[in-house]
Amino acid sequence: MTPTEAAWTRLLSLAQRPGASAIRSLFARDPNRYAAFHWQAGDIMLDLSKTSIDNAAMAALLALADAAGLMAARDAMAAGERVNNTEGRAVLHMALRAPRSAGFRARESDGRYEDASASVEETLAAMEHFTRAVHSGEIRSATGETFTDIINIGIGGSDLGPFMATRALWHEASPMRPLYLANADAHNWELIRPRLNPARTLVLVASKTFTTAETMANARVVRGWLEQTLGKDGMRQHLVALSTNKKATADFGVPADRVFGFHDWVGGRFSLWSSIGLSIALSCGWDEFSRLLAGARVMDEHFLEAQPARNLPLLLALTTVWHVNGLGLGNHAILPYDHRLSRFPAHLQQLEMESLGKRTTKGGQPVKRLTGPVLFGEPGTNAQHSFMQLLHQGTTPVPADFLLIANPSHPYAANHRLLLANGLAQSEALLRGRGAEEVRAEMTASGMSAPEIERLLPHRLFPGDRPSTTLLLPRLDAHTLGQLVALYEHKVFCLGVLWDIDAFDQWGVELGKQLSTSILPELMPEGRVGPHDPSTTGLIEKLREWQGMDI
Ligand code: F6P
């Protein structure tokens, strides 16, 4: 048996012990449990004490990380090795937020190393110059006015990260108003269009490949909208491209000095720190964008330097291994108790599920164990009035991350206390549960009859011992947001190593893209329905019928 398999066996045998998912008894046995199971890195405090990981389980999890060579894998990523092995690429989003002196290099296919930090510095300088020139009015619209609005056209990582960050950081005094257009459904554009004046809108086409069908379809629509008012030459002055594909951006009509590039060693879901983040800089200000990068760098340094037993990204990843593989819990809830983080769960859905939704090892074998859980979330307290019922009393325990922010940026102290009290109460309730004695006493005190109490009792019981993790931040700003996002990015990297899967490819999105290309002509008036399974054929025929076409 390999050392890694031996470590898995040891871990899984601990998870199968009777009572392995109990949490209350751990607190009862160890009054110092909170002290022993919370850590801080930078501005983020992580509390794992409300999980069923005890000292033995933690030791076994850390032994697994050691056997899997996690720290060596981390160092290989930082050294620019091609750790994305199915695409033959280095993974260097850390270079995007590091100073030039950090000296990140990316290994090329011919074995040579490219100076990643130098090209990052160059791109950041160009982005800063452009951002400041737009804000100062040095760069103006085709009609000579200042730009007031931006629309970012992109999807997946070219939308979710920047959208999440501007939602978190933008406020009324920010320099420009941002809007995001992702969905191929033009109802999305119809919603946005009335809010925009073409003469004052800068259009950012964000696409690593510049071939993504949805983005290019939307970009053509918006380009046409600009052209109607500003003409062909005027329209070009409003276009900006964020892409690695220089040729396609030129073919689309974007002036060369309005193209901000990056490299294939930046994955889409890790790209908000690259030129894909230009909408953050334009809408929130260059200094805010710089603080976001600096925050991420704080977490990078922690991830690169901290011992495994105190390494926050690794500890978060090991907690997921315990829940998914040890206890068989295949769902995970993200609950930010801050409305500015309302797009954070959506960003993490792509980051985690596109990275970890894999069933083949890096060596090409079927995985032996479960991999990425289903992730979902909503900001608290809204979540409490939708799906939290299932977390408290449903048949499947769902581990949850609670994100709490000590100090808000608004002056409504009473609201903030209410918010925090609710966040704390939810994780306390999940842990504590509610037994028959307590429920009976409460119902008796309210004057209920004995038969009524017995009838309702089972419905009012809470099992408790349901796991949660709490992340506490002193405040939410660009610097702490950078740390938070980087924390989850590195967690994803760790899980990729622990599960021996490539967390940086996404082959699973290809088949649907290809099939949609072949279905497209079948939805044209002159099209004919091709060979499909009977369900797809039936659905296409019905759509054609309802659209008034021949079948
Ligand atoms: O959904 C697949 C994907 O490739 C994502 O990984 C990526 O973030 C998104 O599409 C958008 O890709 P692009 O930036 O090339 O348009």
Side-chain angles (χ1 to χ4, degrees):
M1 196 188 287
T2 65
T4 316
E5 279 309 311
W8 273 111
T9 306
R10 162 93 184 121
L11 177 70
L12 298 181
S13 74
L14 282 174
Q16 277 148 21
R17 285 171 302 176
S21 60
I23 309 170
R24 284 169 297 201
S25 53
L26 298 180
F27 278 105
R29 276 209 298 276
D30 179 5
N32 292 321
R33 179 168 173 78
Y34 169 73
F37 279 84
H38 82 269
W39 301 264
Q40 186 171 340
D43 289 306
I44 300 182
M45 204 212 85
L46 170 68
D47 174 20
L48 294 182
S49 63
K50 289 195 185 87
T51 70
S52 60
I53 299 172
D54 61 7
N55 290 333
M58 183 56 88
L61 286 162
L62 288 166
L64 174 66
D66 187 38
L70 205 139
M71 292 309 173
R74 173 200 66 184
D75 294 344
M77 172 171 69
E81 299 307 329
R82 296 154 74 97
V83 298
N84 174 356
N85 75 327
T86 71
E87 295 182 320
R89 290 174 183 170
V91 175
L92 277 177
H93 43 276
M94 278 194 286
L96 299 167
R97 51 241 189 170
R100 171 93 185 253
S101 58
F104 279 101
R105 303 179 317 157
R107 196 182 182 110
E108 303 280 2
S109 53
D110 58 10
R112 285 180 308 118
Y113 285 91
E114 171 209 339
D115 187 342
S117 289
S119 76
V120 166
E121 189 180 58
E122 202 180 304
T123 306
L124 282 175
M127 288 168 66
E128 178 177 5
H129 181 262
F130 180 73
T131 302
R132 294 197 189 280
V134 169
H135 291 166
S136 68
E138 189 189 319
I139 292 179
R140 285 177 179 263
S141 81
T143 56
E145 292 164 273
T146 51
F147 285 112
T148 52
D149 294 74
I150 49 174
I151 176 168
N152 184 86
I153 306 173
I155 199 162
S158 299
D159 167 77
L160 289 161
F163 193 1
M164 174 275 297
T166 55
R167 177 66 65 87
L169 302 177
W170 191 87
H171 52 85
E172 260 181 317
S174 296
M176 295 177 81
R177 278 189 303 265
L179 283 168
Y180 287 85
L181 177 60
N183 202 332
D185 181 355
H187 291 109
N188 194 355
W189 167 238
E190 293 269 285
L191 271 181
I192 288 174
R193 186 177 41 81
R195 292 192 247 161
L196 292 171
N197 169 3
R200 306 197 73 166
T201 303
L202 203 51
V203 174
L204 275 50
V205 184
S207 175
K208 179 175 170 179
T209 54
F210 228 73
T211 57
T212 303
E214 297 95 319
T215 299
M216 297 323 296
N218 278 329
R220 280 189 290 272
V221 167
V222 178
R223 185 179 60 179
W225 168 78
L226 285 176
E227 198 176 332
Q228 259 176 11
T229 319
L230 306 170
K232 230 184 185 49
D233 286 343
M235 168 270 284
R236 280 166 55 85
Q237 292 177 48
H238 287 234
L239 287 182
V240 175
L242 319 172
S243 182
T244 57
N245 187 346
K246 289 251 158 79
K247 176 171 183 323
T249 61
D251 293 346
F252 191 77
V254 185
D257 63 345
R258 295 285 172 89
V259 179
F260 298 89
F262 56 108
H263 291 268
D264 71 358
W265 37 260
V266 180
R269 48 199 179 271
F270 302 87
S271 65
L272 75 96
W273 325 95
S274 72
S275 60
I276 291 290
L278 187 63
S279 61
I280 308 169
L282 284 166
S283 58
C284 301
W286 183 259
D287 295 341
E288 280 290 84
F289 187 62
S290 299
R291 282 190 280 269
L292 185 74
L293 301 185
R297 176 72 182 154
V298 168
M299 188 51 68
D300 293 346
E301 284 175 345
H302 166 78
F303 180 52
L304 291 170
E305 288 158 16
Q307 289 304 311
R310 313 184 48 80
N311 197 303
L312 259 55
L314 176 58
L315 291 167
L316 263 191
L318 293 174
T319 306
T320 294
V321 165
W322 177 252
H323 289 142
V324 171
N325 305 111
L327 305 180
L329 307 176
N331 298 290
H332 190 119
I334 302 291
L335 304 167
Y337 274 70
D338 190 308
H339 206 76
R340 294 168 295 176
L341 290 175
S342 61
R343 293 296 293 170
F344 191 64
H347 175 62
L348 285 196
Q349 271 179 340
Q350 189 206 14
L351 179 63
E352 297 216 3
M353 291 165 83
E354 202 170 78
S355 300
L356 303 170
K358 311 283 166 67
R359 58 203 296 278
T360 306
T361 66
K362 285 186 107 172
Q365 303 301 314
V367 295
K368 291 191 191 149
R369 300 172 189 93
L370 294 179
T371 59
V374 174
L375 191 135
F376 65 98
E378 275 291 320
T381 60
N382 297 12
Q384 294 170 207
H385 300 272
S386 65
F387 55 74
M388 287 304 289
Q389 163 67 36
L390 187 145
L391 272 69
H392 288 292
Q393 286 189 315
T395 47
T396 312
V398 179
D401 288 2
F402 287 87
L403 273 58
L404 304 182
I405 314 291
N407 299 291
S409 300
H410 61 66
Y412 306 100
N415 279 60
H416 193 63
R417 265 193 299 277
L418 180 68
L419 182 76
L420 288 179
N422 272 276
L424 293 166
Q426 289 297 313
S427 63
E428 186 175 31
L430 287 166
L431 167 72
R432 242 177 67 166
R434 206 165 207 204
E437 212 173 301
E438 193 183 335
V439 178
R440 243 190 224 109
E442 191 185 86
M443 290 196 284
T444 308
S446 75
M448 269 187 200
S449 69
E452 191 65 352
I453 289 174
E454 290 316 308
R455 188 176 75 80
L456 290 177
L457 183 71
H459 301 282
R460 297 203 177 185
L461 299 178
F462 287 63
D465 271 343
R466 301 218 148 174
S468 71
T469 299
T470 302
L471 293 141
L472 202 57
L473 280 70
R475 67 198 160 275
L476 183 72
D477 58 19
H479 198 247
T480 58
L481 181 68
Q483 295 173 52
L484 184 67
V485 177
L487 167 64
Y488 278 93
E489 288 182 349
H490 295 317
K491 170 200 167 181
V492 163
F493 170 80
C494 292
L495 284 169
V497 176
L498 293 164
W499 285 327
D500 189 24
I501 54 177
D502 188 337
F504 300 103
D505 62 15
Q506 56 284 316
W507 300 105
V509 301
E510 293 304 322
L511 179 59
K513 283 187 193 170
Q514 279 165 17
L515 293 183
S516 78
T517 310
S518 62
I519 290 175
L520 211 48
E522 300 175 24
L523 299 176
M524 306 276 277
E526 67 282 8
R528 283 284 163 266
V529 186
H532 297 284
D533 62 86
S535 164
T536 306
T537 302
L539 292 167
I540 294 175
E541 287 179 352
K542 193 68 188 171
L543 281 167
R544 288 184 64 90
E545 180 197 325
W546 278 357
Q547 290 184 341
M549 296 182 212
D550 294 338
I551 293 173

